Amino acid sequence: MNVLVIGGGGREHAIVHGLSRSLRVTRVFCAPGNAGTAELAENVAIDVGDHAALVALAKERKIDLTIVGPEAPLCAGIVDRFQAEGLRIFGPTAAAARIEGDKAYAKKLMKHAHVPTAEARIFNRFADAKAYVATRDTGVVVKAAGLAAGKGVVVCPDPADAILALERMMVQEEFGGAGATVVVEEVLKGQELSVHAFIDDRTIYVLESAQDHKAIGEGDTGPNTGGMGAYSPAPIATPEVYAAVERDVLVPIVDALRSDGAPYRGVLYVGLMLTAGGPKVLEFNCRFGDPETQVLLTRLDTDLLDVLDAVVDGRLDQIDLRWKPKAAVCVVVASKGYPGRYESGKVIEGLQEAAGMPDVFVFHSGTKRVEHLTVTNGGRVVAVTALGDDIADAQQRAYRAVEQIRFENAYYRRDIADKALRSSVRAEA
Ligand code: AMP
Ligand code: GLY
């Protein structure tokens, strides 16, 4: 089979890597890809937003299955477009992807389906939102309802900050139309957990747990990023937590989407806060997480193509997901300045040395080839992932590999997965 992966980050490199190991895969294409995917796939320089060119590519190269990495093309209806052309594609339709693309819709659906989540109010007018926040004496979270590349959520312990955030979104239109509607919700306390599930409308298959590190700084300080590292499994994801997420979140939301005329097919990512009152939903994403995919897919033992095919064909119930009895840790090496302004074009050294270490996978996030050199080409540059016998072993291997990688102004957190070690110590105590 010929397969096409849409996207160009670490998540897509991990998907390309998984597919390239499948016995049934003949050729892998990646659009637009990066310097890492170029080693396993044929990169094609098409923007993820150019649906017409992607359809043409899929026809010309006789692609049997297309896998969409990022949310923007999903929310813009790439799956509907491919299906209308008779092309097989992995991911939800635009109607189902609205669960990520429109946080106000997601909130209403959760409320309707009694899915546990933060109490929230939805506003379309700045004056109303401001008046509401002014009555609050506790902090709130302000969220732009539309897609804002992970930057549209502001946690405001002080209500005065919330008014500033509202002004930036609704008056200054910092995120364009994405901030025209806002969700204002209560601040939840607890540890965060990412749960991914494959869904083929009828069957829900929950993947192993993973935990992300969203903040740029050590000890979870500073602004949020796309994710600075991840580990799997997460010790806080106990069987009780998993049972509650499946029963109280996944089953009712999948039913609610179906009743709403938007049956879900693809991978659904649930961002949760494990509060004293049980798991509560922070957000839904209509795609794989980045960097959660890097740790999940390196642990997956089942042929990735078999799984994705089964989802697309609605036979997920016939698939058995097997996992390596290993832990995985991923450390993202970023350009200094990210998630704000940063410089690109820095030569990266040590990639081969790192990738040659046992059980280490160097997934490229923002890189490109310039003649014989690999240079930085994004905020997140590489996602160094290692398997180990347990989290501590995987963490050591990942950091040893990270030390091999050098470029000007490289930045990474030195505490990725420390949290997992702390919770396992607590669990044993
Ligand atoms: P989201 O994109 O909605 O997941 O928000 C991004 C990040 O903001 C989450 O990963 C949390 O760290 C934080 N966050 C979102 N909603 C809340 C909330 N209600 N309470 C506390 N933190 C939140
Ligand atoms: N790691 C967070 C995300 O993919 O949205």
Side-chain angles (χ1 to χ4, degrees):
M1 274 175 72
N2 291 338
V3 294
L4 165 64
V5 177
I6 295 177
R11 164 183 54 209
E12 288 76 21
H13 190 185
I15 295 170
V16 163
H17 178 255
L19 290 170
S20 67
R21 297 213 270 191
S22 167
L23 297 174
R24 294 193 296 123
V25 167
T26 322
R27 294 181 73 183
V28 186
F29 296 88
C30 191
N34 58 39
T37 63
E39 289 174 16
L40 301 167
E42 186 176 322
N43 283 352
V44 189
I46 300 175
D47 187 83
V48 301
D50 192 347
H51 298 190
L54 292 166
V55 164
L57 174 72
K59 288 184 174 171
E60 189 187 306
R61 299 305 184 111
K62 302 199 164 33
I63 301 294
D64 300 290
L65 179 66
T66 297
I67 297 102
V68 189
E71 62 277 13
L74 292 167
C75 294
I78 195 166
V79 168
D80 311 67
R81 178 86 180 255
F82 268 59
Q83 286 174 346
E85 300 277 351
L87 295 164
R88 292 176 74 245
I89 185 163
F90 176 89
T93 58
R98 220 177 139 202
I99 194 136
E100 171 167 5
D102 180 354
K103 286 183 195 284
Y105 172 70
K107 216 33 155 186
K108 285 181 203 155
L109 208 62
M110 283 191 267
K111 192 112 193 148
H112 179 75
H114 305 290
V115 170
T117 182
E119 282 302 321
R121 295 276 302 266
I122 296 164
F123 297 99
N124 300 309
R125 283 168 27 116
F126 173 66
D128 297 343
K130 185 178 168 185
Y132 170 71
V133 169
T135 65
R136 310 259 320 188
D137 48 12
T138 55
V140 290
V141 184
V142 176
K143 301 184 174 186
L147 291 183
K151 295 182 184 152
V153 174
V154 191
V155 181
C156 308
D158 180 347
D161 297 335
I163 294 179
L164 292 177
L166 288 167
E167 204 167 275
R168 276 177 27 222
M169 289 178 196
M170 305 184 88
V171 181
Q172 289 156 22
E173 300 180 4
E174 200 172 297
F175 306 114
T181 299
V182 295
V183 177
V184 180
E185 65 182 40
E186 64 174 325
V187 179
L188 298 174
K189 298 251 180 287
Q191 277 217 58
E192 282 184 53
L193 176 70
S194 307
V195 174
H196 288 69
F198 288 121
I199 295 166
D200 76 355
D201 181 24
R202 291 173 305 164
T203 307
I204 299 173
Y205 211 133
V206 187
L207 279 69
E208 288 277 281
S209 58
Q211 198 163 13
D212 189 8
H213 296 66
K214 287 219 167 73
I216 186 71
E218 282 154 24
D220 294 333
T221 52
N224 273 340
T225 68
M228 291 301 293
Y231 57 85
S232 172
I236 53 169
T238 59
E240 293 73 33
V241 165
Y242 253 52
V245 171
E246 190 156 359
R247 183 189 62 227
D248 302 336
V249 177
L250 285 166
V251 170
I253 208 73
V254 167
D255 281 348
L257 280 164
R258 191 186 308 107
S259 311
D260 211 26
Y264 199 95
R265 205 167 267 210
V267 63
L268 181 66
Y269 162 146
V270 193
L272 297 149
M273 189 72 91
L274 303 187
T275 73
K280 293 191 178 175
V281 176
L282 294 173
E283 63 166 343
F284 288 108
N285 293 318
C286 62
R287 46 156 180 98
F288 283 110
D290 185 344
E292 289 92 333
T293 305
Q294 288 85 318
V295 287
L296 289 171
L297 294 190
T298 45
R299 291 189 59 217
L300 182 68
D301 219 8
T302 310
D303 186 313
L304 179 61
L305 182 63
D306 288 349
V307 182
L308 302 179
D309 254 349
V311 173
V312 172
D313 296 341
R315 356 171 230 98
L316 189 53
D317 55 342
Q318 295 166 20
I319 283 285
D320 188 21
L321 290 190
R322 292 181 311 275
W323 300 90
K324 294 178 186 142
K326 295 266 185 183
V329 170
C330 168
V331 179
V332 171
V333 187
S335 306
K336 194 176 143 211
Y338 172 77
R341 286 162 58 94
Y342 56 83
E343 291 174 13
S344 286
K346 309 290 183 196
V347 176
I348 312 171
E349 289 176 291
L351 289 166
Q352 298 298 339
E353 289 81 350
M357 295 168 82
D359 281 338
V360 169
F361 307 85
V362 179
F363 297 120
H364 292 218
S365 304
T367 65
K368 69 173 181 190
R369 291 289 285 182
V370 175
E371 291 165 12
H372 64 289
L373 299 171
T374 303
V375 303
T376 66
N377 187 38
R380 293 191 288 179
V381 176
V382 284
V384 180
T385 308
L387 287 172
D389 293 332
D390 52 27
I391 295 276
D393 183 36
Q395 185 194 41
Q396 248 180 25
R397 286 170 187 270
Y399 275 109
R400 252 185 261 138
V402 163
E403 281 161 19
Q404 300 294 317
I405 293 173
R406 293 172 306 276
F407 58 89
E408 198 185 319
N409 291 337
Y411 167 80
Y412 58 91
R413 279 179 61 164
R414 288 161 202 275
D415 65 344
I416 302 300
D418 279 358
K419 224 181 276 174
L421 300 176
R422 281 203 301 275
S423 34
S424 51
V425 170
R426 251 209 319 275
E428 282 158 21

